[in-house]
Amino acid sequence: MKITKIFKYSALAAAVIANNAFAGSLPTLPTIGISSAGFAGGATINDGASYLDTLPAGETIQVSGQITVASSDVGKTGDILIVAKVGNKFFQADQSGWTSLAVDLNSSSLGIVPYSTGTLPAHFSYSENDLAEGLGIDLTGKTIKILFGYAPSGAGIRYGKAIKAQVAELPSSNSTVCPDGETASAAVIIGGNRICTLSGTYTEDLHLTNNFDYVISGAVRIGMDNTSDAKLIIDPGVTTYGQSGNDFIWIDRGAQIWANGTKDKPITMTSANDGDATATTRGEWGGLVINGNAPINGCSEGTALCEAAGEGNSGMFGGNDADDNSGSLTYLRVKYAGFLINDLDELNGIAFQGVGSGTNVDYVQVHNNQDDGVEFFGGTVNAKHLYLTGNRDDSLDWTKGWSGSVQHVVIVQGTDTGDQGFEMDNNGDAPDSSPRALPYFSNVTMIGNDNTDIGMLIREGTGGHFHNMVVKGFADGCIDIDQTETFTVAGTPDNLTGDLVMTNTVVDCKKSFIEDMDGPWLVEEWFDAQVGNVELDTGMNDYVNSTEVNALESLDPTSISSFFDEAGYVGAVPSTGEDWTAGWTFRPL
């Protein structure tokens, strides 16, 4: 087989590549050659927080690949093969690194030096921490293809569809033309960058490169409610500024946002008054709204398409596609947002409205929002590594039947004000609406204080699975369950239904439980009836676990959700050395 043929596949094969296996798991690659083998791989700039097919220029590009050898081939003698194509040049990897591969296009022989030869294992993994350095070439503006395969002795090659990624060109540092074609302002906010002003609706891709800063003017809308597949692409290190509560970023149904920063270069969405912000600065601009086509509740039974209007006049959301993909957010900081439109309509730091599980959310901070830090309005989106600090209302809120999974959450309520750590509703107007809210959580730490309300307010018929959590310091109490429908979802302490579950959780508030006088049973009895739950003086001064907490028994998160990482501890951060919030988050002085 000619090597050039390895990189050519049918449109059908290209169409079935899974682009949404994010958050620590590699995208699956279609198998070529033998159906029982499996391949996965991707290119990333942020240690696997996201895998991208378009990579920004000037970043360290990492590549990972995995091979699952067909059971019929395991134990046979064979070769592991790793080949790269950059532009028109071919490379091969072996134990000593990458070398150029001379290709004779007129020969049927591949001529590849194997990465390794020996007994084929059940699984093989490979990673390259700096592809440009490994290959010894500049990747700027290049198309990268990397193929992983294996060949049992005397048999053909089994391989997956090649990883393909396009590296962008470096933006011109002295450019005066903004990404939308407008002329940049010469005014300077930070770092000498010219200013581009974004406004109105964009129905074609908009790429924000880091040679400009960007002012959000009014509702900056990406897409047009399922009639445009426009993408907002934001490079690492970009900062956007809102000047008033009317300024917000709105990703419409069918459109996507690809805001993928790195630990060293997080993306920041903040107020134009960022430099003068204090511990009580909030509500300086609108925030980020993402609308998707995933299911929500609240419609009459039998409604073919359940949808709803977003807060702040942010369009329609909801649909029938649980796997809907609204893009990717990694290493993103949203600061000083939220705007009170009226007593019932207020913008959140990030509103996930009917967003589907194809969307990637990993390493996101919302700081000092006027309303909720993050709110899920239905949908199925998952998330990891959320750092929610100083938010005035609830740090994490959900309603309308959200059913995602979330792991690694730190909540630190503001010292001046704050409501709940979690506020949880199925549907406030119809608590038994279907689909019922049923999220899964593991490894959460929420820290309240004397100016905050309740750690976990569980109400309006929501379900949920809560594991390996620390709830500490909330003034009114740690856990409150309200409404008959919510108690019914849980069952009774003697007969738990499994739809409202809490295990391996520690509570440390002046008042552990807020009891509903009309409730059929006591919250304390429900808590005590489940495995690993304790009331304990944690001795914690912040969100990093104390010795007492690390001594508690934890539940293996992977046993309850395939989305979760292994984590053999209660809480979000077991030690200072394992603090995933360090290095990229905003810390007030």
Side-chain angles (χ1 to χ4, degrees), residues 24 38-39 52 66 91 149 175 190 228 259 371 416 435 453 559 587:
F39 300 88
L52 308 172
Q66 295 175 353
F91 301 84
S175 174
I190 292 177
S228 165
D371 191 33
D416 61 318
D453 293 344
S559 68
R587 308 296 176 104

Short mmCIF file of all heavy atoms in Angstrom, two decimals, residues 24 38-39 52 66 91 149 175 190 228 259 371 416 435 453 559 587:
data_model
loop_
_atom_site.label_atom_id
_atom_site.label_comp_id
_atom_site.label_asym_id
_atom_site.label_seq_id
_atom_site.Cartn_x
_atom_site.Cartn_y
_atom_site.Cartn_z
N GLY A 24 -10.59 15.24 28.73
CA GLY A 24 -9.72 14.20 29.23
C GLY A 24 -9.75 12.92 28.42
O GLY A 24 -8.85 12.11 28.54
N GLY A 38 -9.48 -0.46 17.64
CA GLY A 38 -9.97 0.87 17.99
C GLY A 38 -8.84 1.88 18.01
O GLY A 38 -7.70 1.56 18.40
N PHE A 39 -9.15 3.12 17.59
CA PHE A 39 -8.13 4.16 17.53
C PHE A 39 -8.73 5.47 18.06
O PHE A 39 -9.92 5.76 17.86
CB PHE A 39 -7.64 4.35 16.10
CG PHE A 39 -7.02 3.11 15.52
CD1 PHE A 39 -7.80 2.17 14.87
CD2 PHE A 39 -5.66 2.87 15.66
CE1 PHE A 39 -7.25 1.01 14.36
CE2 PHE A 39 -5.10 1.71 15.16
CZ PHE A 39 -5.89 0.78 14.51
N LEU A 52 -8.52 19.98 19.23
CA LEU A 52 -8.97 20.93 18.23
C LEU A 52 -8.53 20.52 16.84
O LEU A 52 -7.46 19.93 16.66
CB LEU A 52 -8.39 22.32 18.54
CG LEU A 52 -8.62 22.86 19.96
CD1 LEU A 52 -7.83 24.13 20.17
CD2 LEU A 52 -10.10 23.08 20.20
N GLN A 66 -4.06 6.74 20.86
CA GLN A 66 -4.26 5.47 21.54
C GLN A 66 -4.68 4.41 20.52
O GLN A 66 -5.45 4.70 19.60
CB GLN A 66 -5.34 5.58 22.62
CG GLN A 66 -4.97 6.50 23.77
CD GLN A 66 -6.12 6.67 24.75
OE1 GLN A 66 -7.23 6.23 24.51
NE2 GLN A 66 -5.84 7.34 25.86
N PHE A 91 7.00 12.05 7.99
CA PHE A 91 7.87 11.76 9.14
C PHE A 91 7.41 10.45 9.76
O PHE A 91 6.25 10.06 9.65
CB PHE A 91 7.81 12.87 10.18
CG PHE A 91 8.21 14.23 9.67
CD1 PHE A 91 7.28 15.04 9.02
CD2 PHE A 91 9.50 14.70 9.84
CE1 PHE A 91 7.64 16.29 8.55
CE2 PHE A 91 9.86 15.96 9.37
CZ PHE A 91 8.93 16.76 8.72
N GLY A 149 -1.15 3.20 13.79
CA GLY A 149 -1.58 1.90 13.30
C GLY A 149 -0.69 0.80 13.83
O GLY A 149 0.29 1.04 14.53
N SER A 175 -1.14 45.11 12.50
CA SER A 175 -2.35 45.17 11.67
C SER A 175 -3.32 46.20 12.22
O SER A 175 -3.45 46.39 13.43
CB SER A 175 -3.03 43.80 11.64
OG SER A 175 -4.25 43.87 10.96
N ILE A 190 -4.60 47.59 27.11
CA ILE A 190 -3.60 46.75 27.75
C ILE A 190 -2.55 46.33 26.73
O ILE A 190 -2.89 45.99 25.60
CB ILE A 190 -4.24 45.50 28.38
CG1 ILE A 190 -5.13 45.89 29.57
CG2 ILE A 190 -3.18 44.52 28.87
CD1 ILE A 190 -5.86 44.72 30.19
N SER A 228 -27.53 29.50 10.68
CA SER A 228 -26.12 29.79 10.42
C SER A 228 -25.28 28.94 11.36
O SER A 228 -25.59 28.82 12.54
CB SER A 228 -25.82 31.27 10.65
OG SER A 228 -24.42 31.50 10.75
N ALA A 259 -13.53 28.95 22.48
CA ALA A 259 -12.69 29.82 23.31
C ALA A 259 -11.77 28.93 24.11
O ALA A 259 -12.10 28.50 25.22
CB ALA A 259 -13.56 30.67 24.22
N ASP A 371 -25.42 38.19 39.27
CA ASP A 371 -26.42 37.16 39.53
C ASP A 371 -25.67 35.84 39.73
O ASP A 371 -24.65 35.80 40.41
CB ASP A 371 -27.43 37.10 38.38
CG ASP A 371 -28.64 36.24 38.68
OD1 ASP A 371 -29.05 36.19 39.85
OD2 ASP A 371 -29.17 35.61 37.77
N ASP A 416 -18.64 39.70 51.13
CA ASP A 416 -19.60 40.78 51.38
C ASP A 416 -21.04 40.32 51.23
O ASP A 416 -21.93 40.82 51.91
CB ASP A 416 -19.33 41.95 50.42
CG ASP A 416 -19.48 41.56 48.96
OD1 ASP A 416 -19.02 40.46 48.60
OD2 ASP A 416 -20.05 42.34 48.17
N PRO A 435 -38.12 16.22 30.70
CA PRO A 435 -37.21 15.38 31.48
C PRO A 435 -36.84 16.03 32.81
O PRO A 435 -36.62 17.24 32.86
CB PRO A 435 -35.98 15.25 30.58
CG PRO A 435 -36.00 16.51 29.75
CD PRO A 435 -37.45 16.81 29.51
N ASP A 453 -25.93 32.40 52.36
CA ASP A 453 -27.15 31.73 52.79
C ASP A 453 -26.94 30.22 52.98
O ASP A 453 -26.42 29.78 53.98
CB ASP A 453 -28.27 32.01 51.79
CG ASP A 453 -28.68 33.48 51.80
OD1 ASP A 453 -28.32 34.19 52.76
OD2 ASP A 453 -29.34 33.91 50.85
N SER A 559 -17.08 4.92 38.92
CA SER A 559 -18.09 3.88 39.09
C SER A 559 -19.50 4.43 38.90
O SER A 559 -20.46 3.65 38.77
CB SER A 559 -17.99 3.25 40.49
OG SER A 559 -18.37 4.18 41.50
N ARG A 587 -7.01 35.98 41.02
CA ARG A 587 -7.02 36.02 42.49
C ARG A 587 -7.00 37.48 42.93
O ARG A 587 -6.01 38.18 42.69
CB ARG A 587 -5.81 35.30 43.07
CG ARG A 587 -5.58 33.89 42.55
CD ARG A 587 -6.72 32.97 42.93
NE ARG A 587 -6.57 31.63 42.38
CZ ARG A 587 -6.18 30.58 43.09
NH1 ARG A 587 -5.89 30.68 44.37
NH2 ARG A 587 -6.10 29.38 42.52
#
